[in-house]
Amino acid sequence: MNTGVSVILPTLNEADQVATALESLANQTYDEFEVVVVDDGSDDGTIEVVRQFRIGGSRPHDY
């Protein structure tokens, strides 16, 4: 994937807000971007929410 833009979403217990942000990104007309979610140890299900999203035909990866 050759991306023109990287969107960085730092999170810490942001399950509700990260879902809204990812939905907004998935609905963009410009599609040359990657989304990097950086979680700082959430315990509210943030990672599970992120794993459910598919943006631009690709699923998130865990590192």
Side-chain angles (χ1 to χ4, degrees):
M1 172 195 254
N2 186 10
T3 61
V5 176
S6 295
V7 178
I8 312 297
L9 296 176
T11 64
L12 176 59
N13 294 327
E14 302 284 349
D16 294 334
Q17 292 81 6
V18 78
T20 301
L22 292 172
E23 287 172 6
S24 177
L25 289 167
N27 291 323
Q28 296 300 306
T29 56
Y30 181 79
D31 61 2
E32 294 295 321
F33 65 90
E34 67 178 348
V35 179
V36 178
V37 179
V38 181
D39 184 68
D40 193 23
S42 295
D43 60 8
D44 71 338
T46 297
I47 295 301
E48 289 75 16
V49 171
V50 171
R51 288 180 181 152
Q52 293 176 14
F53 277 85
R54 180 181 298 267
I55 297 177
S58 55
R59 297 200 61 96
H61 300 279
D62 295 323
Y63 297 104

